[in-house]
Amino acid sequence: MSQVGAFDSALEGWQAGQILEHYYPGADLGRIPQATVAVRLVEQDDSTLDAYADAGGRVAGREFAAGQAAHLTPLPDGGANVVVTTGCDGEVLWQSATDDPWIYPHDHAPGRPATEHLTLCGGSAYRGALGVATENGEARTVNRVDVQDYLLGVVPAEVQANWADKGAVEALRAQAIAARSYALAERRYPYAQTCDTTDCQAYPGTDKEDPRTAAAVVATAGMVLLRDGRILRAEYSAAPDGGEPADIYTFAVGPTPGELGPVPVEPGPADQSAVGPLDPRTQTVVGELPIAVEYRRLGGANSSVGQPLGPEMALPQHAGTYRMFTNGVIVSTPTLGAQVVDFTRLMQLVPEPPASGAKPSNNAVPLADAIPPASAVAPGHTVAPKTASTPTPRPTSSAALPSGGPTGGEL
């Protein structure tokens, strides 16, 4: 995918699904469960890990307080030496060795406040946990983070948040899906899936987070590109001429969505993948989806409706949304609110399914049919549309990025 071409296409009225269908012909859209990604922080190579959080955190099974910093040096056996100091370079308060070479925030769940982010001494802040490993005897630093939180840092580093102000929200959404797919299909190192440089994807931690790109990340939550049921390593670039469609069979693939799952970090709140947009200026949740609220109230996966069978879908004329579960359906409309309905009632609200051309398993559906336009989604909601028009030829690029790619300047 050309990021410039995606921008121009969005200005021409293309939806995210159409952009992705053009650049990744033959790919399907799939849904993943909550998942984490491990990212090598390249600038930290051959260094100790020195980090703190304004709210304090945990290391080696012990708490460290606000105003204290934890320092980890990896050991050949996979563990680490730990030193906790006052500030980043103050008095040593305690030290130990551990077989768990990670610094944890107080709560690893997605969308945590900025005070809980781990900050490198003299460097950037990161969501999730920070840890150390070795590669050929050299120290490596790794950020293990929920993929949604990871994308909050990636998307505004790879493209510009102000595209939303220029009418190219759909390009931001396409970028979020491509970046999520790329990261989850990566398998670069024994200790980390991907890295934080443009050799992989630009990822400066929380430094560039922005509400406009956060909205694109949340609106596409869980969406990935698939090839033959496996997550596609969806390569993209800042090609200034708009780029050409890719041969997706030249790209590597990763696991199936069903093979993903959250990497255990430490006990914390349950999956929050169905929450509304985050405002990175305050790191708070703007609004939770009504169906998610009702599902949690009923008891989640342990309730009578069972496990979800797919994403939320749009009712006709944008009258509301519904989601299928193994033992029922939850519908949300302005008049009904969010409630469980039987299949007969759902069929009164939902159009007939297509008679042919339906995709088999893996939660895969045609791209252009799967992602709603931003204009059709109420704030804080993520739904899939019924239909989408067939893409016309991609428009000729009308804007070139300055040298250095999409982060080198503004369009």
Side-chain angles (χ1 to χ4, degrees), residues 23-115:
Y23 283 109
Y24 306 103
D28 293 310
L29 191 78
R31 283 272 182 172
I32 62 165
Q34 184 186 15
T36 58
V37 60
V39 187
R40 173 186 173 186
L41 306 183
V42 174
E43 287 192 4
Q44 288 292 113
D45 282 0
D46 241 359
S47 300
T48 59
L49 168 56
D50 311 296
Y52 64 93
D54 290 342
R58 293 190 296 275
V59 66
R62 296 176 60 176
E63 301 275 343
F64 64 90
Q68 298 176 357
H71 311 265
L72 267 63
T73 304
L75 297 172
D77 63 2
N81 282 323
V82 181
V83 178
V84 173
T85 62
T86 302
C88 281
D89 53 6
E91 174 190 1
V92 173
L93 301 174
W94 58 271
Q95 54 188 342
S96 179
T98 180
D99 58 4
D100 182 21
W102 293 90
I103 304 173
Y104 299 101
H106 278 305
D107 192 329
H108 72 274
R112 301 305 301 164
T115 56

Side-chain angles (χ1 to χ4, degrees), residues 29-331:
L29 191 78
R31 283 272 182 172
I32 62 165
Q34 184 186 15
T36 58
V37 60
V39 187
R40 173 186 173 186
L41 306 183
V42 174
E43 287 192 4
Q44 288 292 113
D45 282 0
D46 241 359
S47 300
T48 59
L49 168 56
D50 311 296
Y52 64 93
D54 290 342
R58 293 190 296 275
V59 66
R62 296 176 60 176
E63 301 275 343
F64 64 90
Q68 298 176 357
H71 311 265
L72 267 63
T73 304
L75 297 172
D77 63 2
N81 282 323
V82 181
V83 178
V84 173
T85 62
T86 302
C88 281
D89 53 6
E91 174 190 1
V92 173
L93 301 174
W94 58 271
Q95 54 188 342
S96 179
T98 180
D99 58 4
D100 182 21
W102 293 90
I103 304 173
Y104 299 101
H106 278 305
D107 192 329
H108 72 274
R112 301 305 301 164
T115 56
E116 295 183 27
H117 300 170
L118 296 175
T119 302
L120 297 176
C121 291
S124 299
Y126 293 87
R127 298 169 182 270
L130 292 171
V132 292
T134 58
E135 182 178 26
N136 299 323
E138 297 181 347
R140 300 287 184 260
T141 297
V142 180
N143 178 209
R144 193 165 64 191
V145 60
D146 182 272
V147 71
Q148 285 292 96
D149 279 355
Y150 165 73
L151 291 171
L152 294 178
V154 168
V155 176
E158 284 288 348
V159 293
Q160 296 163 21
N162 71 351
W163 284 9
D165 306 327
K166 299 173 184 293
V169 170
E170 297 297 326
L172 297 181
R173 288 151 61 92
Q175 176 67 50
I177 294 169
R180 184 182 294 110
S181 304
Y182 185 96
L184 292 174
E186 284 262 83
R187 289 294 183 272
R188 291 209 176 217
Y189 318 102
Y191 54 87
Q193 289 160 268
T194 189
C195 67
D196 64 343
T197 71
T198 53
D199 286 344
C200 303
Q201 296 187 119
Y203 172 58
T206 64
D207 288 355
K208 291 190 175 183
E209 288 186 5
D210 187 283
R212 295 165 294 187
T213 46
V217 169
V218 175
T220 62
M223 295 182 184
V224 291
L225 296 169
L226 302 175
R227 190 191 80 202
D228 300 328
R230 294 191 168 275
I231 301 172
L232 182 70
R233 189 173 178 266
E235 299 178 17
Y236 55 88
S237 73
D241 60 354
E244 296 295 331
D247 177 358
I248 63 170
Y249 286 91
T250 65
F251 294 164
V253 292
T256 68
E259 291 170 346
L260 287 176
V263 175
V265 181
E266 287 198 344
D271 178 12
Q272 298 184 14
S273 61
V275 300
L278 301 173
D279 184 341
R281 295 167 298 185
T282 60
Q283 312 308 322
T284 58
V285 174
V286 175
E288 190 174 16
L289 306 186
I291 288 177
V293 173
E294 178 63 8
Y295 185 50
R296 187 179 69 248
R297 187 190 70 78
L298 293 169
N302 296 321
S303 70
S304 60
V305 295
Q307 296 280 356
L309 294 176
E312 287 192 26
M313 304 293 288
L315 293 170
Q317 288 80 50
H318 309 297
T321 61
Y322 71 97
R323 192 174 191 185
M324 303 285 291
F325 297 83
T326 51
N327 301 317
V329 183
I330 301 179
V331 171

Side-chain angles (χ1 to χ4, degrees), residues 385-402:
K386 299 173 292 171
T387 61
S389 59
T390 302
T392 54
R394 192 199 57 76
T396 303
S397 175
S398 60
L401 291 173

